[in-house]
PDB file of all heavy atoms in Angstrom:
ATOM      1  N   ASP A   1      35.424 -50.422  43.256  1.00  0.00           N
ATOM      2  CA  ASP A   1      35.913 -51.561  44.025  1.00  0.00           C
ATOM      3  C   ASP A   1      34.831 -52.636  44.124  1.00  0.00           C
ATOM      4  O   ASP A   1      35.102 -53.835  44.009  1.00  0.00           O
ATOM      5  CB  ASP A   1      36.322 -51.078  45.422  1.00  0.00           C
ATOM      6  CG  ASP A   1      37.214 -52.086  46.141  1.00  0.00           C
ATOM      7  OD1 ASP A   1      37.784 -52.956  45.463  1.00  0.00           O
ATOM      8  OD2 ASP A   1      37.322 -52.007  47.370  1.00  0.00           O
ATOM      9  N   LYS A   2      33.564 -52.206  44.319  1.00  0.00           N
ATOM     10  CA  LYS A   2      32.459 -53.165  44.427  1.00  0.00           C
ATOM     11  C   LYS A   2      32.271 -53.962  43.140  1.00  0.00           C
ATOM     12  O   LYS A   2      32.103 -55.184  43.180  1.00  0.00           O
ATOM     13  CB  LYS A   2      31.167 -52.426  44.796  1.00  0.00           C
ATOM     14  CG  LYS A   2      31.054 -52.099  46.274  1.00  0.00           C
ATOM     15  CD  LYS A   2      29.667 -51.629  46.659  1.00  0.00           C
ATOM     16  CE  LYS A   2      29.491 -50.162  46.452  1.00  0.00           C
ATOM     17  NZ  LYS A   2      28.268 -49.634  47.110  1.00  0.00           N
ATOM     18  N   ILE A   3      32.274 -53.276  42.001  1.00  0.00           N
ATOM     19  CA  ILE A   3      32.026 -54.026  40.757  1.00  0.00           C
ATOM     20  C   ILE A   3      33.231 -54.866  40.363  1.00  0.00           C
ATOM     21  O   ILE A   3      33.102 -55.831  39.602  1.00  0.00           O
ATOM     22  CB  ILE A   3      31.588 -53.099  39.592  1.00  0.00           C
ATOM     23  CG1 ILE A   3      32.702 -52.125  39.206  1.00  0.00           C
ATOM     24  CG2 ILE A   3      30.324 -52.337  39.955  1.00  0.00           C
ATOM     25  CD1 ILE A   3      32.363 -51.309  37.960  1.00  0.00           C
ATOM     26  N   ASN A   4      34.399 -54.542  40.901  1.00  0.00           N
ATOM     27  CA  ASN A   4      35.585 -55.348  40.637  1.00  0.00           C
ATOM     28  C   ASN A   4      35.619 -56.572  41.551  1.00  0.00           C
ATOM     29  O   ASN A   4      35.851 -57.696  41.096  1.00  0.00           O
ATOM     30  CB  ASN A   4      36.843 -54.496  40.841  1.00  0.00           C
ATOM     31  CG  ASN A   4      38.120 -55.241  40.500  1.00  0.00           C
ATOM     32  OD1 ASN A   4      38.274 -55.757  39.397  1.00  0.00           O
ATOM     33  ND2 ASN A   4      39.043 -55.305  41.443  1.00  0.00           N
ATOM     34  N   ARG A   5      35.335 -56.367  42.858  1.00  0.00           N
ATOM     35  CA  ARG A   5      35.392 -57.465  43.837  1.00  0.00           C
ATOM     36  C   ARG A   5      34.192 -58.394  43.740  1.00  0.00           C
ATOM     37  O   ARG A   5      34.282 -59.579  44.042  1.00  0.00           O
ATOM     38  CB  ARG A   5      35.492 -56.883  45.250  1.00  0.00           C
ATOM     39  CG  ARG A   5      36.872 -56.371  45.607  1.00  0.00           C
ATOM     40  CD  ARG A   5      36.849 -55.507  46.866  1.00  0.00           C
ATOM     41  NE  ARG A   5      36.186 -56.162  47.989  1.00  0.00           N
ATOM     42  CZ  ARG A   5      35.859 -55.535  49.127  1.00  0.00           C
ATOM     43  NH1 ARG A   5      36.116 -54.241  49.249  1.00  0.00           N
ATOM     44  NH2 ARG A   5      35.280 -56.179  50.107  1.00  0.00           N
ATOM     45  N   PHE A   6      33.052 -57.835  43.368  1.00  0.00           N
ATOM     46  CA  PHE A   6      31.818 -58.631  43.313  1.00  0.00           C
ATOM     47  C   PHE A   6      31.291 -58.652  41.875  1.00  0.00           C
ATOM     48  O   PHE A   6      30.166 -58.239  41.597  1.00  0.00           O
ATOM     49  CB  PHE A   6      30.767 -58.055  44.265  1.00  0.00           C
ATOM     50  CG  PHE A   6      31.283 -57.848  45.669  1.00  0.00           C
ATOM     51  CD1 PHE A   6      31.522 -56.574  46.155  1.00  0.00           C
ATOM     52  CD2 PHE A   6      31.549 -58.935  46.491  1.00  0.00           C
ATOM     53  CE1 PHE A   6      32.008 -56.379  47.439  1.00  0.00           C
ATOM     54  CE2 PHE A   6      32.035 -58.750  47.782  1.00  0.00           C
ATOM     55  CZ  PHE A   6      32.264 -57.476  48.261  1.00  0.00           C
ATOM     56  N   ALA A   7      32.151 -59.134  40.978  1.00  0.00           N
ATOM     57  CA  ALA A   7      31.832 -59.100  39.555  1.00  0.00           C
ATOM     58  C   ALA A   7      30.597 -59.924  39.212  1.00  0.00           C
ATOM     59  O   ALA A   7      29.942 -59.691  38.191  1.00  0.00           O
ATOM     60  CB  ALA A   7      33.036 -59.599  38.752  1.00  0.00           C
ATOM     61  N   GLU A   8      30.242 -60.877  40.077  1.00  0.00           N
ATOM     62  CA  GLU A   8      29.091 -61.744  39.793  1.00  0.00           C
ATOM     63  C   GLU A   8      27.760 -61.013  40.008  1.00  0.00           C
ATOM     64  O   GLU A   8      26.716 -61.470  39.542  1.00  0.00           O
ATOM     65  CB  GLU A   8      29.148 -62.997  40.672  1.00  0.00           C
ATOM     66  CG  GLU A   8      28.823 -62.789  42.151  1.00  0.00           C
ATOM     67  CD  GLU A   8      29.957 -62.187  42.979  1.00  0.00           C
ATOM     68  OE1 GLU A   8      31.038 -61.911  42.395  1.00  0.00           O
ATOM     69  OE2 GLU A   8      29.770 -61.996  44.198  1.00  0.00           O
ATOM     70  N   ARG A   9      27.787 -59.874  40.702  1.00  0.00           N
ATOM     71  CA  ARG A   9      26.542 -59.140  40.966  1.00  0.00           C
ATOM     72  C   ARG A   9      26.227 -58.188  39.812  1.00  0.00           C
ATOM     73  O   ARG A   9      27.099 -57.445  39.357  1.00  0.00           O
ATOM     74  CB  ARG A   9      26.661 -58.339  42.263  1.00  0.00           C
ATOM     75  CG  ARG A   9      26.854 -59.222  43.490  1.00  0.00           C
ATOM     76  CD  ARG A   9      26.759 -58.402  44.753  1.00  0.00           C
ATOM     77  NE  ARG A   9      27.089 -59.206  45.935  1.00  0.00           N
ATOM     78  CZ  ARG A   9      27.142 -58.731  47.169  1.00  0.00           C
ATOM     79  NH1 ARG A   9      26.882 -57.451  47.390  1.00  0.00           N
ATOM     80  NH2 ARG A   9      27.436 -59.518  48.173  1.00  0.00           N
ATOM     81  N   ASN A  10      24.972 -58.227  39.384  1.00  0.00           N
ATOM     82  CA  ASN A  10      24.606 -57.363  38.256  1.00  0.00           C
ATOM     83  C   ASN A  10      24.008 -56.028  38.681  1.00  0.00           C
ATOM     84  O   ASN A  10      23.650 -55.210  37.848  1.00  0.00           O
ATOM     85  CB  ASN A  10      23.632 -58.076  37.300  1.00  0.00           C
ATOM     86  CG  ASN A  10      22.376 -58.542  38.024  1.00  0.00           C
ATOM     87  OD1 ASN A  10      22.061 -58.076  39.113  1.00  0.00           O
ATOM     88  ND2 ASN A  10      21.659 -59.476  37.407  1.00  0.00           N
ATOM     89  N   ARG A  11      23.906 -55.801  40.001  1.00  0.00           N
ATOM     90  CA  ARG A  11      23.462 -54.499  40.472  1.00  0.00           C
ATOM     91  C   ARG A  11      23.896 -54.269  41.916  1.00  0.00           C
ATOM     92  O   ARG A  11      24.163 -55.225  42.653  1.00  0.00           O
ATOM     93  CB  ARG A  11      21.940 -54.356  40.360  1.00  0.00           C
ATOM     94  CG  ARG A  11      21.142 -55.208  41.329  1.00  0.00           C
ATOM     95  CD  ARG A  11      19.654 -54.872  41.213  1.00  0.00           C
ATOM     96  NE  ARG A  11      18.885 -55.458  42.308  1.00  0.00           N
ATOM     97  CZ  ARG A  11      17.608 -55.181  42.563  1.00  0.00           C
ATOM     98  NH1 ARG A  11      16.950 -54.334  41.765  1.00  0.00           N
ATOM     99  NH2 ARG A  11      16.974 -55.733  43.575  1.00  0.00           N
ATOM    100  N   HIS A  12      23.990 -53.019  42.303  1.00  0.00           N
ATOM    101  CA  HIS A  12      24.326 -52.642  43.670  1.00  0.00           C
ATOM    102  C   HIS A  12      23.348 -51.565  44.136  1.00  0.00           C
ATOM    103  O   HIS A  12      22.944 -50.684  43.365  1.00  0.00           O
ATOM    104  CB  HIS A  12      25.759 -52.113  43.761  1.00  0.00           C
ATOM    105  CG  HIS A  12      26.801 -53.170  43.545  1.00  0.00           C
ATOM    106  ND1 HIS A  12      27.157 -54.086  44.507  1.00  0.00           N
ATOM    107  CD2 HIS A  12      27.553 -53.462  42.452  1.00  0.00           C
ATOM    108  CE1 HIS A  12      28.085 -54.899  44.035  1.00  0.00           C
ATOM    109  NE2 HIS A  12      28.343 -54.544  42.779  1.00  0.00           N
ATOM    110  N   GLN A  13      22.994 -51.636  45.402  1.00  0.00           N
ATOM    111  CA  GLN A  13      21.998 -50.720  45.975  1.00  0.00           C
ATOM    112  C   GLN A  13      22.607 -49.345  46.223  1.00  0.00           C
ATOM    113  O   GLN A  13      23.744 -49.221  46.676  1.00  0.00           O
ATOM    114  CB  GLN A  13      21.510 -51.318  47.296  1.00  0.00           C
ATOM    115  CG  GLN A  13      20.277 -50.680  47.880  1.00  0.00           C
ATOM    116  CD  GLN A  13      19.813 -51.428  49.124  1.00  0.00           C
ATOM    117  OE1 GLN A  13      20.567 -51.627  50.072  1.00  0.00           O
ATOM    118  NE2 GLN A  13      18.569 -51.866  49.119  1.00  0.00           N
ATOM    119  N   LEU A  14      21.840 -48.316  45.915  1.00  0.00           N
ATOM    120  CA  LEU A  14      22.237 -46.939  46.190  1.00  0.00           C
ATOM    121  C   LEU A  14      21.163 -46.257  47.034  1.00  0.00           C
ATOM    122  O   LEU A  14      19.971 -46.414  46.767  1.00  0.00           O
ATOM    123  CB  LEU A  14      22.421 -46.152  44.884  1.00  0.00           C
ATOM    124  CG  LEU A  14      23.429 -46.693  43.866  1.00  0.00           C
ATOM    125  CD1 LEU A  14      23.396 -45.844  42.607  1.00  0.00           C
ATOM    126  CD2 LEU A  14      24.839 -46.727  44.453  1.00  0.00           C
ATOM    127  N   PHE A  15      21.588 -45.503  48.044  1.00  0.00           N
ATOM    128  CA  PHE A  15      20.652 -44.737  48.874  1.00  0.00           C
ATOM    129  C   PHE A  15      20.733 -43.269  48.470  1.00  0.00           C
ATOM    130  O   PHE A  15      21.823 -42.682  48.478  1.00  0.00           O
ATOM    131  CB  PHE A  15      21.002 -44.899  50.355  1.00  0.00           C
ATOM    132  CG  PHE A  15      20.778 -46.287  50.874  1.00  0.00           C
ATOM    133  CD1 PHE A  15      21.790 -47.239  50.825  1.00  0.00           C
ATOM    134  CD2 PHE A  15      19.549 -46.663  51.407  1.00  0.00           C
ATOM    135  CE1 PHE A  15      21.598 -48.525  51.296  1.00  0.00           C
ATOM    136  CE2 PHE A  15      19.343 -47.956  51.877  1.00  0.00           C
ATOM    137  CZ  PHE A  15      20.359 -48.882  51.824  1.00  0.00           C
ATOM    138  N   VAL A  16      19.603 -42.720  48.126  1.00  0.00           N
ATOM    139  CA  VAL A  16      19.525 -41.324  47.692  1.00  0.00           C
ATOM    140  C   VAL A  16      19.083 -40.509  48.897  1.00  0.00           C
ATOM    141  O   VAL A  16      17.920 -40.551  49.306  1.00  0.00           O
ATOM    142  CB  VAL A  16      18.536 -41.185  46.517  1.00  0.00           C
ATOM    143  CG1 VAL A  16      18.466 -39.754  46.029  1.00  0.00           C
ATOM    144  CG2 VAL A  16      18.947 -42.125  45.373  1.00  0.00           C
ATOM    145  N   GLU A  17      20.032 -39.768  49.490  1.00  0.00           N
ATOM    146  CA  GLU A  17      19.805 -39.138  50.786  1.00  0.00           C
ATOM    147  C   GLU A  17      19.781 -37.613  50.686  1.00  0.00           C
ATOM    148  O   GLU A  17      20.759 -37.008  50.219  1.00  0.00           O
ATOM    149  CB  GLU A  17      20.911 -39.559  51.771  1.00  0.00           C
ATOM    150  CG  GLU A  17      20.995 -41.063  51.963  1.00  0.00           C
ATOM    151  CD  GLU A  17      22.113 -41.481  52.926  1.00  0.00           C
ATOM    152  OE1 GLU A  17      22.936 -40.617  53.298  1.00  0.00           O
ATOM    153  OE2 GLU A  17      22.157 -42.668  53.277  1.00  0.00           O
ATOM    154  N   PRO A  18      18.703 -36.968  51.137  1.00  0.00           N
ATOM    155  CA  PRO A  18      18.667 -35.501  51.150  1.00  0.00           C
ATOM    156  C   PRO A  18      19.644 -34.939  52.176  1.00  0.00           C
ATOM    157  O   PRO A  18      19.858 -35.530  53.231  1.00  0.00           O
ATOM    158  CB  PRO A  18      17.217 -35.181  51.532  1.00  0.00           C
ATOM    159  CG  PRO A  18      16.729 -36.400  52.255  1.00  0.00           C
ATOM    160  CD  PRO A  18      17.466 -37.566  51.655  1.00  0.00           C
ATOM    161  N   GLU A  19      20.237 -33.789  51.850  1.00  0.00           N
ATOM    162  CA  GLU A  19      21.243 -33.179  52.724  1.00  0.00           C
ATOM    163  C   GLU A  19      20.640 -32.211  53.740  1.00  0.00           C
ATOM    164  O   GLU A  19      21.380 -31.618  54.538  1.00  0.00           O
ATOM    165  CB  GLU A  19      22.293 -32.448  51.879  1.00  0.00           C
ATOM    166  CG  GLU A  19      23.061 -33.362  50.949  1.00  0.00           C
ATOM    167  CD  GLU A  19      24.520 -33.474  51.333  1.00  0.00           C
ATOM    168  OE1 GLU A  19      24.998 -32.678  52.133  1.00  0.00           O
ATOM    169  OE2 GLU A  19      25.194 -34.388  50.818  1.00  0.00           O
ATOM    170  N   GLY A  20      19.324 -32.011  53.703  1.00  0.00           N
ATOM    171  CA  GLY A  20      18.727 -31.106  54.684  1.00  0.00           C
ATOM    172  C   GLY A  20      17.290 -30.757  54.353  1.00  0.00           C
ATOM    173  O   GLY A  20      16.718 -31.219  53.358  1.00  0.00           O
ATOM    174  N   TRP A  21      16.704 -29.917  55.228  1.00  0.00           N
ATOM    175  CA  TRP A  21      15.316 -29.491  55.040  1.00  0.00           C
ATOM    176  C   TRP A  21      15.161 -28.565  53.834  1.00  0.00           C
ATOM    177  O   TRP A  21      14.216 -28.677  53.069  1.00  0.00           O
ATOM    178  CB  TRP A  21      14.818 -28.734  56.281  1.00  0.00           C
ATOM    179  CG  TRP A  21      14.631 -29.541  57.519  1.00  0.00           C
ATOM    180  CD1 TRP A  21      15.344 -29.442  58.679  1.00  0.00           C
ATOM    181  CD2 TRP A  21      13.653 -30.560  57.746  1.00  0.00           C
ATOM    182  NE1 TRP A  21      14.882 -30.340  59.607  1.00  0.00           N
ATOM    183  CE2 TRP A  21      13.835 -31.034  59.065  1.00  0.00           C
ATOM    184  CE3 TRP A  21      12.638 -31.122  56.957  1.00  0.00           C
ATOM    185  CZ2 TRP A  21      13.035 -32.038  59.617  1.00  0.00           C
ATOM    186  CZ3 TRP A  21      11.840 -32.112  57.511  1.00  0.00           C
ATOM    187  CH2 TRP A  21      12.045 -32.565  58.818  1.00  0.00           C
ATOM    188  N   ASN A  22      16.096 -27.633  53.698  1.00  0.00           N
ATOM    189  CA  ASN A  22      15.909 -26.536  52.745  1.00  0.00           C
ATOM    190  C   ASN A  22      16.989 -26.493  51.688  1.00  0.00           C
ATOM    191  O   ASN A  22      17.465 -25.419  51.305  1.00  0.00           O
ATOM    192  CB  ASN A  22      15.874 -25.197  53.508  1.00  0.00           C
ATOM    193  CG  ASN A  22      14.782 -25.173  54.558  1.00  0.00           C
ATOM    194  OD1 ASN A  22      13.624 -25.454  54.262  1.00  0.00           O
ATOM    195  ND2 ASN A  22      15.147 -24.840  55.793  1.00  0.00           N
ATOM    196  N   THR A  23      17.414 -27.659  51.235  1.00  0.00           N
ATOM    197  CA  THR A  23      18.422 -27.709  50.187  1.00  0.00           C
ATOM    198  C   THR A  23      18.022 -28.751  49.152  1.00  0.00           C
ATOM    199  O   THR A  23      17.330 -29.723  49.472  1.00  0.00           O
ATOM    200  CB  THR A  23      19.823 -28.034  50.759  1.00  0.00           C
ATOM    201  OG1 THR A  23      20.777 -28.092  49.693  1.00  0.00           O
ATOM    202  CG2 THR A  23      19.829 -29.379  51.475  1.00  0.00           C
ATOM    203  N   ILE A  24      18.472 -28.525  47.925  1.00  0.00           N
ATOM    204  CA  ILE A  24      18.204 -29.482  46.847  1.00  0.00           C
ATOM    205  C   ILE A  24      19.354 -30.481  46.712  1.00  0.00           C
ATOM    206  O   ILE A  24      19.294 -31.393  45.888  1.00  0.00           O
ATOM    207  CB  ILE A  24      17.988 -28.751  45.506  1.00  0.00           C
ATOM    208  CG1 ILE A  24      19.213 -27.884  45.175  1.00  0.00           C
ATOM    209  CG2 ILE A  24      16.712 -27.915  45.552  1.00  0.00           C
ATOM    210  CD1 ILE A  24      19.202 -27.277  43.795  1.00  0.00           C
ATOM    211  N   GLU A  25      20.404 -30.317  47.528  1.00  0.00           N
ATOM    212  CA  GLU A  25      21.589 -31.167  47.405  1.00  0.00           C
ATOM    213  C   GLU A  25      21.299 -32.579  47.901  1.00  0.00           C
ATOM    214  O   GLU A  25      20.663 -32.773  48.933  1.00  0.00           O
ATOM    215  CB  GLU A  25      22.755 -30.559  48.190  1.00  0.00           C
ATOM    216  CG  GLU A  25      24.086 -31.253  47.917  1.00  0.00           C
ATOM    217  CD  GLU A  25      25.260 -30.509  48.529  1.00  0.00           C
ATOM    218  OE1 GLU A  25      25.066 -29.430  49.128  1.00  0.00           O
ATOM    219  OE2 GLU A  25      26.392 -31.008  48.410  1.00  0.00           O
ATOM    220  N   ILE A  26      21.775 -33.551  47.150  1.00  0.00           N
ATOM    221  CA  ILE A  26      21.549 -34.974  47.433  1.00  0.00           C
ATOM    222  C   ILE A  26      22.885 -35.699  47.539  1.00  0.00           C
ATOM    223  O   ILE A  26      23.810 -35.466  46.750  1.00  0.00           O
ATOM    224  CB  ILE A  26      20.692 -35.628  46.323  1.00  0.00           C
ATOM    225  CG1 ILE A  26      19.297 -34.994  46.266  1.00  0.00           C
ATOM    226  CG2 ILE A  26      20.591 -37.139  46.524  1.00  0.00           C
ATOM    227  CD1 ILE A  26      18.416 -35.265  47.470  1.00  0.00           C
ATOM    228  N   TYR A  27      22.960 -36.626  48.496  1.00  0.00           N
ATOM    229  CA  TYR A  27      24.136 -37.465  48.714  1.00  0.00           C
ATOM    230  C   TYR A  27      23.821 -38.864  48.179  1.00  0.00           C
ATOM    231  O   TYR A  27      22.817 -39.466  48.572  1.00  0.00           O
ATOM    232  CB  TYR A  27      24.422 -37.520  50.214  1.00  0.00           C
ATOM    233  CG  TYR A  27      25.599 -38.369  50.630  1.00  0.00           C
ATOM    234  CD1 TYR A  27      26.867 -37.824  50.730  1.00  0.00           C
ATOM    235  CD2 TYR A  27      25.432 -39.713  50.954  1.00  0.00           C
ATOM    236  CE1 TYR A  27      27.939 -38.589  51.141  1.00  0.00           C
ATOM    237  CE2 TYR A  27      26.500 -40.490  51.360  1.00  0.00           C
ATOM    238  CZ  TYR A  27      27.755 -39.916  51.454  1.00  0.00           C
ATOM    239  OH  TYR A  27      28.822 -40.673  51.848  1.00  0.00           O
ATOM    240  N   VAL A  28      24.658 -39.375  47.283  1.00  0.00           N
ATOM    241  CA  VAL A  28      24.400 -40.679  46.659  1.00  0.00           C
ATOM    242  C   VAL A  28      25.194 -41.750  47.418  1.00  0.00           C
ATOM    243  O   VAL A  28      26.307 -42.114  47.040  1.00  0.00           O
ATOM    244  CB  VAL A  28      24.784 -40.676  45.164  1.00  0.00           C
ATOM    245  CG1 VAL A  28      24.253 -41.945  44.487  1.00  0.00           C
ATOM    246  CG2 VAL A  28      24.240 -39.443  44.466  1.00  0.00           C
ATOM    247  N   ASN A  29      24.604 -42.256  48.479  1.00  0.00           N
ATOM    248  CA  ASN A  29      25.269 -43.220  49.346  1.00  0.00           C
ATOM    249  C   ASN A  29      25.415 -44.560  48.618  1.00  0.00           C
ATOM    250  O   ASN A  29      24.436 -45.137  48.168  1.00  0.00           O
ATOM    251  CB  ASN A  29      24.445 -43.400  50.624  1.00  0.00           C
ATOM    252  CG  ASN A  29      25.232 -44.066  51.730  1.00  0.00           C
ATOM    253  OD1 ASN A  29      26.236 -44.725  51.492  1.00  0.00           O
ATOM    254  ND2 ASN A  29      24.772 -43.898  52.956  1.00  0.00           N
ATOM    255  N   GLY A  30      26.660 -45.045  48.515  1.00  0.00           N
ATOM    256  CA  GLY A  30      26.925 -46.301  47.813  1.00  0.00           C
ATOM    257  C   GLY A  30      27.637 -46.094  46.503  1.00  0.00           C
ATOM    258  O   GLY A  30      28.015 -47.054  45.823  1.00  0.00           O
ATOM    259  N   PHE A  31      27.844 -44.800  46.117  1.00  0.00           N
ATOM    260  CA  PHE A  31      28.485 -44.507  44.838  1.00  0.00           C
ATOM    261  C   PHE A  31      29.781 -43.730  45.060  1.00  0.00           C
ATOM    262  O   PHE A  31      30.179 -42.888  44.274  1.00  0.00           O
ATOM    263  CB  PHE A  31      27.536 -43.705  43.938  1.00  0.00           C
ATOM    264  CG  PHE A  31      27.836 -43.816  42.460  1.00  0.00           C
ATOM    265  CD1 PHE A  31      27.322 -44.856  41.710  1.00  0.00           C
ATOM    266  CD2 PHE A  31      28.634 -42.877  41.822  1.00  0.00           C
ATOM    267  CE1 PHE A  31      27.593 -44.953  40.348  1.00  0.00           C
ATOM    268  CE2 PHE A  31      28.918 -42.973  40.462  1.00  0.00           C
ATOM    269  CZ  PHE A  31      28.392 -44.012  39.724  1.00  0.00           C
ATOM    270  N   SER A  32      30.463 -44.024  46.159  1.00  0.00           N
ATOM    271  CA  SER A  32      31.765 -43.421  46.408  1.00  0.00           C
ATOM    272  C   SER A  32      32.707 -43.784  45.253  1.00  0.00           C
ATOM    273  O   SER A  32      32.738 -44.934  44.818  1.00  0.00           O
ATOM    274  CB  SER A  32      32.324 -43.942  47.726  1.00  0.00           C
ATOM    275  OG  SER A  32      33.625 -43.476  47.952  1.00  0.00           O
ATOM    276  N   SER A  33      33.470 -42.807  44.769  1.00  0.00           N
ATOM    277  CA  SER A  33      34.282 -43.086  43.583  1.00  0.00           C
ATOM    278  C   SER A  33      35.456 -42.125  43.464  1.00  0.00           C
ATOM    279  O   SER A  33      35.377 -40.967  43.888  1.00  0.00           O
ATOM    280  CB  SER A  33      33.418 -42.970  42.321  1.00  0.00           C
ATOM    281  OG  SER A  33      34.187 -43.229  41.166  1.00  0.00           O
ATOM    282  N   SER A  34      36.548 -42.635  42.868  1.00  0.00           N
ATOM    283  CA  SER A  34      37.685 -41.783  42.515  1.00  0.00           C
ATOM    284  C   SER A  34      37.914 -41.806  41.002  1.00  0.00           C
ATOM    285  O   SER A  34      38.955 -41.378  40.523  1.00  0.00           O
ATOM    286  CB  SER A  34      38.944 -42.253  43.245  1.00  0.00           C
ATOM    287  OG  SER A  34      39.261 -43.588  42.869  1.00  0.00           O
ATOM    288  N   LEU A  35      36.934 -42.324  40.259  1.00  0.00           N
ATOM    289  CA  LEU A  35      37.050 -42.374  38.797  1.00  0.00           C
ATOM    290  C   LEU A  35      36.988 -40.966  38.212  1.00  0.00           C
ATOM    291  O   LEU A  35      36.505 -40.032  38.865  1.00  0.00           O
ATOM    292  CB  LEU A  35      35.919 -43.222  38.221  1.00  0.00           C
ATOM    293  CG  LEU A  35      36.053 -44.736  38.409  1.00  0.00           C
ATOM    294  CD1 LEU A  35      34.732 -45.434  38.146  1.00  0.00           C
ATOM    295  CD2 LEU A  35      37.152 -45.297  37.502  1.00  0.00           C
TER     296      LEU A  35
END
């Protein structure tokens, strides 16, 4: 939706967020997708 609505922007910010103290799992905030 972001790249469709804001086609003039050549990049979008993503936050790489750890899911906890003792896990390797990462949440990619800003890359929500149904593709």
Side-chain angles (χ1 to χ4, degrees):
D1 197 18
K2 280 192 274 193
I3 64 173
N4 184 55
R5 283 166 52 191
F6 308 108
E8 73 282 0
R9 297 188 186 177
N10 57 18
R11 70 174 192 170
H12 291 282
Q13 193 175 55
L14 303 176
F15 293 90
V16 181
E17 302 179 350
E19 298 247 346
W21 291 113
N22 302 308
T23 179
I24 57 172
E25 190 171 357
I26 297 292
Y27 179 90
V28 191
N29 196 340
F31 203 86
S32 175
S33 180
S34 61
L35 286 165

